Every structure is written in structure tokens, then in C-alpha cells.
């Protein structure tokens, strides 16, 4: 059975055909996150640390760390900041060190800048996953030597100099090329995790079927593990969680062994809370001024004011159980137990959240 080993200083994550599905948390990524990007430019890493903790508590097995920030204000003062080759290596080192101080799960070093990849690999404790290499010749020659030097596994993305093909056979051929070139560097197939590239189902009706077919071929013909950006499948659609929740178990059944995704259901903010209060008031429902916000959020179906595991994590845990990757359902049962804010079992002390037993 193919197994890809990813390690921190104290923990091991295994991506494998005979293993529970591996969740790679995607939240530590400034791309498309304006506030996070601005905070990083100011040297504020508090949100990074909070995201690392929240994803760990939600059940992520590996944390992806992406250094692709754009420092527009600094760029105006110093033109060097317009070059990602200047910005990302230093930022990546800081991100890795900050995350390792608050969580001990394995990391995935994610950048398009070779200097950032190397700095991340040097700073990471254990054996991180490297994200990523493509089939482009220049990229192969830059990244594969790093993979060999640091003896780490790597994500192989199925596009090359011609871009991303809509033809699944072409994407398979690119993946095969990367596996073969990696072998030339002495990198075994079990250290290659192929991303077959998920297309949005809203733009391509066969996107789901393509991925399932590709994953089976990659597993059976190349013997490699697979991953994907899970939310790509639902891009541009309403109720994206509903699509994601169906896609992930189907991909797992086809043989996919990991995904880069958000494991956290984001907390309900004050704006949503006020909108709900306004709606209740219009309906003539009186809400006490001193009501606990968390209780209100739960009673009204908004969710929670605290980060919680997302619905996608629920779908993955259920699929693990159904596929016998969770013997006796222990992980499923534990996942559904009430949890304290720190992720501990709320019923661990005496069977009640407060830790007291009711007297008979």
C-alpha cells in the first residue's frame, strides 16, 4: 500500500490508500484574504496563530502555509517589495516558526518562489510536505532537487507549459511525466501526491466524473496518493458546502487520499447576529438584551460564535467510518461528542460540560 509520510517534531500524518482521509488545512494563505494580508505587512501574526489553532482543533492533519502576500504599502516605499522573490523567503520562515510555536501537527510548505520553499523547509521541524511542482521543465529543475535534498514528499500539480488542460488524459500524462522525472532524481512514487486539478462543476458538467476517473487511474496505474483543492468543485455555485459535502466522500470512494481545504466553520460575526436580531424583532419575537450570543446563535440556526469543525469535516468523518477507515466508529463517536472551547471533551469530567454529576 502506498503511504506518504509527513512529520512534525512530535507527530506523524500518513497519506495512504489504507489510511483515513488526510485533511490539509488551507487557511494560512494571504491570497484573497485582504485583512490577513494587511496584518502580515504590519508584522502582525496573531490571525495566523489563531487560524493554526482553530484548524488543529477542527481536525486538520496537516497545515498548509502559503507565503504569497502582496505588500502594497511597503512596495511604494521600497521597490524590492514588488518582487515576491524578495518578500516570500523571509515571510515563509517567520510563518513556519510562528505556527510551530502554537501547534505541533505537520506542515505543508506552499509557494511558487523557490527561495520561500527552501526557507520553509529549513525552518520546518520534521518532514513537511512541499507544495508544489508542476510539469513545466523550469519548475521541475528548480523544485525536484529541493525535494531530494530535504528528503520530503511533494504535491505534483497536473499542468505544464501549455496550462491546465480540460482533457483528463492530458492531465494524467502530465502527472505521469512528473512521477517519471522525480524517479530520475531518486524520489520514489510514494513521495509524490498528485493533484489532478478539480474544475468547477458549474463551468464543466463532467468535472466531478473527470476527477473520479483520474484518481482511479493515478492510483491503479501510477500507485500515487492524490489531493485537490476541494472547494474548487463548487466555485461560483450557491450552497457550496452542500456540493463539497457530496464531492468529498465520492472522491474518497474513487481513491482520493487527501484534500487541501478549510476544516473550520467560521464563527458567526456581530453583523450576522444583528441581522438575525432585527429579523426576530420584525417578527414580534422579543429577545432578552442579556442573552448569551453563543446560545442565540445556536437556537436560531446561525451556527456558533466560536470556530467549529465545518460540515465538510463531518462528511469526511462519516465517509471514513463507512469505508472502514474508522474501526468500530471510534473517531466518529468522538467527533460528535460536545467539545469545550479548547477542543477537549466536554463530558470528560463527570459527563456534563460543567464537570458536575447530578445527584440522585
Amino acid at each position: 500500500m502506498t503511504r506518504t509520510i509527513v512529520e512534525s517534531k512530535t507527530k506523524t500524518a500518513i497519506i495512504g490508500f489504507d489510511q483515513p482521509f488526510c485533511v490539509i488545512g488551507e487557511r494560512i494563505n494571504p491570497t484573497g484574504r485582504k485583512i490577513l494580508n494587511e496584518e502580515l505587512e504590519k508584522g502582525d501574526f496573531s490571525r495566523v496563530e489563531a487560524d493554526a489553532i482553530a484548524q488543529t482543533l477542527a481536525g486538520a492533519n496537516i497545515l498548509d502555509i502559503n507565503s504569497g502576500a502582496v505588500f502594497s504599502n511597503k512596495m511604494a516605499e521600497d521597490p524590492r517589495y514588488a518582487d515576491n522573490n524578495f518578500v516570500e523567503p523571509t515571510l515563509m520562515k517567520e510563518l513556519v516558526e510562528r505556527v510551530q510555536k502554537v501547534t505541533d501537527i505537520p506542515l505543508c510548505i506552499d509557494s511558487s518562489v523557490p527561495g520561500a520553499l527552501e526557507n520553509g523547509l529549513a525552518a520546518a521541524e520534521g518532514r513537511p510536505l512541499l507544495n508544489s511542482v508542476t510539469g513545466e521543465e523550469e519548475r521541475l529543475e528548480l523544485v525536484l532537487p529541493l525535494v531530494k535534498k530535504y528528503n520530503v514528499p511533494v504535491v505534483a500539480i497536473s499542468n505544464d507549459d501549455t496550462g491546465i488542460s480540460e482533457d483528463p488524459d492530458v492531465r494524467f500524462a502530465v502527472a505521469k511525466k512528473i512521477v517519471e522525472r522525480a524517479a530520475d532524481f531518486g524520489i520514489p512514487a510514494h513521495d509524490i501526491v498528485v493533484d489532478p486539478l478539480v474544475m468547477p462543476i458549474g463551468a464543466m458538467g463532467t468535472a466531478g466524473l473527470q476527477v473520479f476517473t483520474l484518481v482511479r487511474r493515478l492510483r491503479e496505474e501510477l500507485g500515487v496518493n492524490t489531493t485537490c483543492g476541494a472547494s474548487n468543485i463548487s466555485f461560483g455555485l450557491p450552497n457550496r458546502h452542500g456540493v463539497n459535502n457530496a464531492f468529498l466522500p465520492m472522491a474518497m470512494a474513487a481513491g482520493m487520499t487527501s484534500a487541501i481545504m478549510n476544516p473550520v466553520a467560521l464563527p458567526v460575526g456581530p453583523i450576522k447576529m444583528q441581522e438575525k436580531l432585527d429579523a426576530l424583532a420584525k417578527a414580534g419575537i422579543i429577545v432578552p438584551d442579556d442573552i448569551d450570543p453563543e446560545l442565540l446563535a445556536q437556537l436560531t440556526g446561525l451556527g456558533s460564535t466560536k470556530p467549529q469543525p465545518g460540515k465538510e469535516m463531518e462528511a469526511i468523518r462519516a465517509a471514513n467510518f463507512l469505508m472502514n477507515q474508522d474501526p468500530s466508529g471510534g473517531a466518529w463517536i468522538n467527533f460528535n461528542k460536545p467539545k469545550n472551547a479548547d477542543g477537549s471533551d466536554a463530558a470528560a469530567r463527570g459527563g456534563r460540560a460543567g464537570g458536575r454529576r447530578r445527584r440522585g
Side-chain angles (χ1 to χ4, degrees):
M1 285 290 185
T2 298
R3 291 184 173 184
T4 304
I5 307 298
V6 187
E7 297 175 319
S8 67
K9 188 175 181 179
T10 59
K11 289 188 176 179
T12 298
I14 303 175
I15 306 173
F17 298 167
D18 61 341
Q19 298 293 307
F21 195 73
C22 183
V23 174
I24 304 171
E26 69 179 9
R27 293 285 295 163
I28 304 173
N29 185 344
T31 305
R33 296 186 67 189
K34 183 180 178 182
I35 294 175
L36 175 59
N37 194 95
E38 291 173 349
E39 289 175 347
L40 292 177
E41 186 168 13
K42 296 173 184 175
D44 179 359
F45 292 86
S46 59
R47 191 177 301 269
V48 168
E49 293 168 352
D51 281 343
I53 294 169
Q55 290 181 104
T56 301
L57 292 176
N61 306 107
I62 298 170
L63 294 184
D64 187 88
I65 299 181
N66 185 295
S67 57
V70 177
F71 292 167
S72 301
N73 294 326
K74 288 188 176 182
M75 200 185 301
E77 302 169 2
D78 185 340
R80 291 180 298 173
Y81 282 94
D83 184 1
N84 276 12
N85 291 287
F86 177 76
V87 173
E88 290 199 41
T90 302
L91 178 61
M92 177 64 83
K93 180 176 184 293
E94 183 75 12
L95 287 169
V96 169
E97 290 173 348
R98 293 275 185 161
V99 169
Q100 287 180 152
K101 287 180 180 178
V102 297
T103 184
D104 62 350
I105 68 173
L107 304 180
C108 176
I109 309 302
D110 185 356
S111 176
S112 60
V113 175
L117 293 177
E118 181 141 31
N119 271 15
L121 290 171
E125 299 170 334
R127 188 176 196 251
L129 178 64
L130 194 66
N131 190 9
S132 58
V133 66
T134 64
E136 297 166 294
E137 285 300 323
E138 182 180 2
R139 189 73 178 173
L140 289 166
E141 293 298 324
L142 285 171
V143 176
L144 292 181
L146 283 178
V147 175
K148 180 64 177 177
K149 176 182 176 181
Y150 287 91
N151 184 29
V152 294
V154 64
V155 174
I157 301 178
S158 300
N159 69 281
D160 58 13
D161 308 78
T162 63
I164 300 173
S165 175
E166 293 187 359
D167 184 342
D169 290 334
V170 171
R171 300 207 298 278
F172 177 84
V174 173
K176 184 178 180 181
K177 171 187 173 182
I178 297 172
V179 171
E180 290 172 346
R181 289 295 301 278
D184 293 339
F185 283 84
I187 301 164
H190 65 250
D191 275 340
I192 310 293
V193 182
V194 173
D195 182 348
L197 293 171
V198 174
M199 305 294 190
I201 191 74
M204 180 188 295
T206 59
L209 291 174
Q210 280 192 8
V211 172
F212 306 147
T213 301
L214 264 172
V215 166
R216 291 188 189 97
R217 286 192 69 191
L218 290 164
R219 175 169 177 158
E220 294 167 4
E221 297 181 36
L222 299 184
V224 293
N225 281 306
T226 47
T227 195
C228 71
S231 64
N232 289 352
I233 193 71
S234 62
F235 181 79
L237 294 177
N239 189 12
R240 295 185 66 184
H241 293 295
V243 177
N244 297 343
N245 292 348
F247 169 74
L248 282 162
M250 293 175 75
M252 291 167 65
M256 187 169 283
T257 47
S258 69
I260 301 170
M261 53 177 280
N262 178 15
V264 181
L266 299 183
V268 180
I271 294 176
K272 286 288 185 184
M273 293 287 284
Q274 190 58 54
E275 288 175 352
K276 178 58 71 174
L277 286 170
D278 292 343
L280 291 172
K282 285 182 180 179
I285 300 173
I286 299 173
V287 177
D289 293 337
D290 60 349
I291 190 171
D292 177 59
E294 177 65 11
L295 179 60
L296 176 64
Q298 293 185 9
L299 289 175
T300 57
L302 287 175
S304 174
T305 59
K306 307 177 183 68
Q308 302 286 330
K311 286 294 182 182
E312 286 86 347
M313 292 299 292
E314 183 177 292
I316 287 168
R317 301 282 188 180
N320 280 334
F321 190 9
L322 291 166
M323 295 173 68
N324 199 32
Q325 301 295 2
D326 177 14
S328 303
W332 174 252
I333 292 168
N334 186 61
F335 178 75
N336 285 283
K337 287 180 179 178
K339 296 290 191 295
N340 294 315
D342 63 356
S344 61
D345 186 352
R349 296 186 304 155
R352 297 178 68 196
R356 301 184 209 163
R357 280 195 178 92
R358 183 176 299 169
R359 300 193 180 195

